[in-house]
Amino acid sequence: MGLAFRRFTRLTKMFPRKIFLVAVLLLSVILAGCEIFVFYSLRTVIDAVQQEQYDIFKSIVLIMLVIILLDGIIRYLRARWAGMYAEGGIKVLRELVGRHTMHLPVKEIDKRHSGDMLTRLNNDMNLVRVFSNATLMNVIHAIVGGVLALILLVILHWKLTLVCTIGIPLILLLSALASAPLAKYTRHVQESRGVVNSNFQDTVTGIEVARAFNLQKILGEKFSKAVDEFVLNGFKVTLARAVLLFINIVTGVTPFLLSFGFGGYWVIQGELTPGALLAFVNLLNPLAGPVAQLPMMLGEFRAQMEGANRIFEILDVAPEREGGEKFETKLLSAGNDIISFKNVSFAYTEEGEKIINNMNFNIQTGEKVAIVGPSGSGKTTIIKLLQGYYDHFEGEVNLLGQSIRDWDLKEMRNYISLVSQDTYLFPGTIEENIGYGKIGETSGKIFDAAKAANAHEFISKLKDGYQSSVGEFGDKLSGGQKQRISIARAILKEVPLLLLDEATSALDTHSEYLVQKTLDELLNQDKTALIIAHRLSTIKKADRIIVVDEGQVVETGTHDELLLKDGVYKKLYLRQLSHESQQKEAVV
């Protein structure tokens, strides 16, 4: 329980507009006081009627009517200010999670499915909203009302109060024990909901692959399994709430039965007036009610704080390294190493196999260097290390003569432009997506970049031209069109180092020709390029080719030099020529 309260404290510290929280708590106290006064006044009203004291009766009734009207106004203000406090806090919390996620290390993003992240941002966030908008003020109201009611119950008849409340310590113990499973089951529900969302997202995103390979049945079964797990956890939550409800009913009815039994006896004996008994029974509501609902309230509180905890799990992940040096770029002059790997070894996880194993190579300013090798040899991993996505490698990775570990990563990336095989376009227009290469650049510069990328012609033929929507994941464009927009984005950035990660591997022959033509023109400029190539025919003109195998550099040279070595490169090249030849024969 202490853990849940620590999460609550942390949450309230993060929420702004604390003046609204103070106002809500104050109004809850006033509201509880008004209700207690009305209940206690019933004693005077009933006794005044019995004793025919009509002036007192009318005065108290009038005061009660005013208080009831005031009660309505207070409830309205409390609900309004609670909503403002909750929504203001959720806005800040949601933005905080969003901004923090953008700065998470790539290795942390890899650990979590995007569906689970969305569940935390939506479903778990909604649990926090319910807590801050309703649960918190209800708990304060219940505590204040219960304490005031207990004081007045003792004043009315301490013996009857003792009889009706003697079981409260036991109820509190049962409440704590019974509410504990609800938090655990709620967490399981949220986690399984994340799995359901992830599976559904995978199904929608991969719908074409699913149909191409007739995977509907397998994916459907996988989705059904996730739904079954979600439903099972939901049933456990329902069962836990049913237990709490049973305790709620039993503990709620018992005090009233005791008060009628013993209270009626003391009225007959003359120790209590009928008005005092009626007031006593009504005052039991704000005491017995919260005590009876305590198991449920504690359970909901713990469940909602578990939702907050799942959000904190994201916020507690240390962001990507910030700071570092902003080095001068004197080493951009020809003949100096712009990239160097020195005895670099790397595995994505501590227990995982090394993808790169004692790798050494260097690239000088202005060189166009291709890296080739069998699948899984570490080619794309080299690109990721160069961008500073991972820093738990052994050895030294240097850019512009400085260790990547010493660079200010944001500044370092200003010198790098990436064109990858998995081209990602953000929802929006073509102009916006190209413009992300250099934020704030003019439309004229964007058009020039598109022309340089051989994209201007097809863009101009679209109905809305550069204002055409690319759709989700760029699905309104062909693969070749998306890739050329990606290249235009890279051109607009105007940086000295270009990273090409199998930029044509996923394209058809015609699209590959257009994109390769664009890349060739780009590489003719005064830039340094590191090219990860799948199709070896595309890198024949590279200044140098580095061949990697099993995470190590095994050969280096030009295309012609490597063919003479009769090594890994020649085997890859001949195998690919044979494969392309077979494909052509099949077409004929």
Side-chain angles (χ1 to χ4, degrees):
M1 196 65 193
L3 185 59
F5 275 108
R6 286 197 294 273
R7 292 167 183 165
F8 157 68
T9 303
R10 180 179 178 183
L11 196 65
T12 54
K13 287 180 180 179
M14 296 173 69
F15 274 37
R17 298 181 174 181
K18 292 181 176 57
I19 185 65
F20 287 120
L21 175 61
V22 173
V24 167
L25 298 181
L26 181 61
L27 289 179
S28 296
V29 172
I30 296 173
L31 189 62
C34 289
E35 291 177 352
I36 296 302
F37 178 82
V38 170
F39 292 148
Y40 188 75
S41 298
L42 290 174
R43 172 189 181 183
T44 306
V45 170
I46 299 302
D47 289 345
V49 170
Q50 282 189 319
Q51 299 169 17
E52 298 183 356
Q53 296 173 333
Y54 295 116
D55 290 339
I56 296 177
F57 170 78
K58 287 188 289 184
S59 298
I60 295 299
V61 169
L62 183 61
I63 292 173
M64 291 173 66
L65 288 174
V66 172
I67 290 177
I68 290 172
L69 178 62
L70 183 63
D71 181 282
I73 296 173
I74 291 174
R75 286 183 184 275
Y76 164 75
L77 292 174
R78 188 180 68 160
R80 179 174 178 175
W81 290 344
M84 294 174 71
Y85 171 72
E87 294 306 321
I90 291 298
K91 176 180 180 294
V92 168
L93 192 59
R94 196 184 295 276
E95 289 177 348
L96 185 62
V97 172
R99 289 196 300 271
H100 188 74
T101 301
M102 293 177 192
H103 292 88
L104 287 179
V106 172
K107 63 181 180 181
E108 295 295 335
I109 296 292
D110 291 343
K111 295 177 183 178
R112 297 170 173 84
H113 195 287
S114 57
D116 178 67
M117 297 287 283
L118 288 173
T119 299
R120 293 174 193 254
L121 191 62
N122 294 316
N123 299 91
D124 291 311
M125 197 72 73
N126 191 53
L127 286 176
V128 176
R129 173 187 280 109
V130 172
F131 166 78
S132 54
N133 191 28
T135 304
L136 179 58
M137 65 179 183
N138 289 339
V139 168
I140 297 301
H141 187 165
I143 292 173
V144 174
V147 171
L148 293 176
L150 181 61
I151 294 171
L152 293 180
L153 286 171
V154 172
I155 293 173
L156 283 172
H157 200 279
W158 70 268
K159 289 188 290 185
L160 184 56
T161 302
L162 182 62
V163 169
C164 294
T165 60
I166 195 170
I168 287 181
L170 179 60
I171 294 171
L172 293 176
L173 178 60
L174 286 174
S175 299
L177 295 174
S179 64
L182 186 57
K184 179 178 71 174
Y185 295 150
T186 300
R187 181 178 181 85
H188 292 167
V189 164
Q190 295 300 88
E191 289 173 347
S192 56
R193 178 183 277 117
V195 175
V196 170
N197 290 344
S198 299
N199 280 318
F200 183 72
Q201 185 173 329
D202 290 341
T203 300
V204 173
T205 305
I207 190 67
E208 293 183 13
V209 176
R211 290 181 179 174
F213 290 91
N214 289 320
L215 300 177
Q216 292 95 325
K217 182 179 179 181
I218 294 175
L219 293 177
E221 290 174 351
K222 186 178 179 182
F223 183 72
S224 296
K225 184 179 179 180
V227 171
D228 289 342
E229 184 69 19
F230 172 64
V231 171
L232 177 61
N233 288 322
F235 175 73
K236 291 179 180 178
V237 169
T238 302
L239 186 61
R241 283 179 173 156
V243 172
L244 296 177
L245 182 61
F246 171 76
I247 298 174
N248 184 347
I249 294 172
V250 172
T251 55
V253 171
T254 302
F256 289 98
L257 294 177
L258 292 173
S259 66
F260 281 120
F262 287 89
Y265 170 77
W266 277 314
V267 168
I268 294 172
Q269 294 297 315
E271 287 191 37
L272 270 175
T273 65
L277 179 59
L278 181 61
F280 190 98
V281 171
N282 278 277
L283 284 170
L284 272 179
N285 279 306
L287 177 62
V291 170
Q293 295 171 11
L294 189 61
M296 187 68 74
M297 285 195 296
L298 283 177
E300 294 299 331
F301 172 70
R302 280 176 157 169
Q304 289 158 5
M305 288 303 98
E306 195 56 53
N309 183 54
R310 278 172 48 82
I311 295 172
F312 293 153
E313 286 176 351
I314 299 298
L315 294 176
D316 288 341
V317 175
E320 185 179 61
R321 174 174 61 82
E322 296 181 352
E325 296 293 329
K326 297 182 179 181
F327 296 105
E328 295 183 13
T329 57
K330 295 178 180 178
L331 288 177
L332 282 174
S333 56
N336 290 315
D337 288 346
I338 192 170
I339 293 172
S340 68
F341 273 49
K342 299 178 181 179
N343 303 319
V344 177
S345 296
F346 173 78
Y348 283 99
T349 60
E350 291 183 3
E351 65 279 2
E353 181 182 356
K354 286 186 177 180
I355 305 299
I356 293 178
N357 189 13
N358 197 33
M359 180 176 286
N360 291 274
F361 70 87
N362 68 294
I363 298 175
Q364 292 185 345
T365 301
E367 273 195 303
K368 280 68 176 176
V369 176
I371 295 183
V372 302
S375 178
S377 57
K379 301 187 297 295
T380 297
T381 301
I382 292 171
I383 296 288
K384 292 181 178 180
L385 291 180
L386 278 173
Q387 294 177 94
Y389 291 161
Y390 304 94
D391 58 8
H392 59 284
F393 55 84
E394 301 172 12
E396 281 293 331
V397 177
N398 293 334
L399 183 74
L400 294 169
Q402 305 294 340
S403 171
I404 287 211
R405 291 191 176 101
D406 296 333
W407 267 100
D408 178 296
L409 291 177
K410 186 175 180 180
E411 180 71 13
M412 183 189 77
R413 290 166 186 159
N414 285 333
Y415 295 99
I416 302 172
S417 199
L418 172 70
V419 179
S420 67
Q421 57 179 319
D422 300 320
T423 302
Y424 186 86
L425 299 183
F426 295 92
T429 67
I430 291 176
E431 183 173 345
E432 287 173 341
N433 272 277
I434 297 176
Y436 287 139
K438 184 182 288 187
I439 302 299
E441 192 56 273
T442 63
S443 296
K445 288 284 188 178
I446 291 174
F447 299 160
D448 289 342
K451 291 174 183 176
N454 289 322
H456 180 74
E457 183 178 353
F458 88 79
I459 295 173
S460 300
K461 292 178 180 179
L462 297 174
K463 179 182 178 182
D464 296 317
Y466 283 84
Q467 299 308 311
S468 299
S469 171
V470 302
E472 187 177 12
F473 306 116
D475 57 8
K476 291 185 178 180
L477 303 173
S478 70
Q481 290 173 334
K482 288 193 293 185
Q483 197 66 292
R484 278 178 280 167
I485 289 175
S486 175
I487 295 171
R489 186 165 58 193
I491 292 173
L492 185 68
K493 194 173 182 181
E494 296 181 324
V495 295
L497 177 58
L498 184 62
L499 304 180
L500 303 175
D501 185 9
E502 301 197 19
T504 63
S505 64
L507 302 179
D508 58 72
T509 304
H510 180 64
S511 296
E512 180 190 0
Y513 168 76
L514 293 174
V515 171
Q516 189 61 49
K517 180 182 177 183
T518 302
L519 292 175
D520 289 341
E521 293 174 2
L522 181 61
L523 293 176
N524 285 332
Q525 300 176 13
D526 185 20
K527 292 181 182 294
T528 304
L530 176 60
I531 309 159
I532 304 296
H534 173 72
R535 293 174 181 168
L536 304 184
S537 57
T538 63
I539 46 94
K540 289 181 179 179
K541 297 179 182 179
D543 297 328
R544 192 154 46 99
I545 299 172
I546 297 173
V547 185
V548 296
D549 191 15
E550 296 184 353
Q552 294 181 320
V553 175
V554 294
E555 294 174 346
T556 303
T558 64
H559 172 72
D560 293 335
E561 290 171 347
L562 290 173
L563 288 181
L564 293 175
K565 289 184 178 182
D566 198 26
V568 174
Y569 181 82
K570 184 175 182 179
K571 291 177 182 177
L572 289 172
Y573 185 71
L574 293 177
R575 188 183 306 153
Q576 199 167 100
L577 279 180
S578 175
H579 178 68
E580 290 175 355
S581 176
Q582 290 175 4
Q583 285 184 322
K584 290 179 181 179
E585 290 176 3
V587 171
V588 175

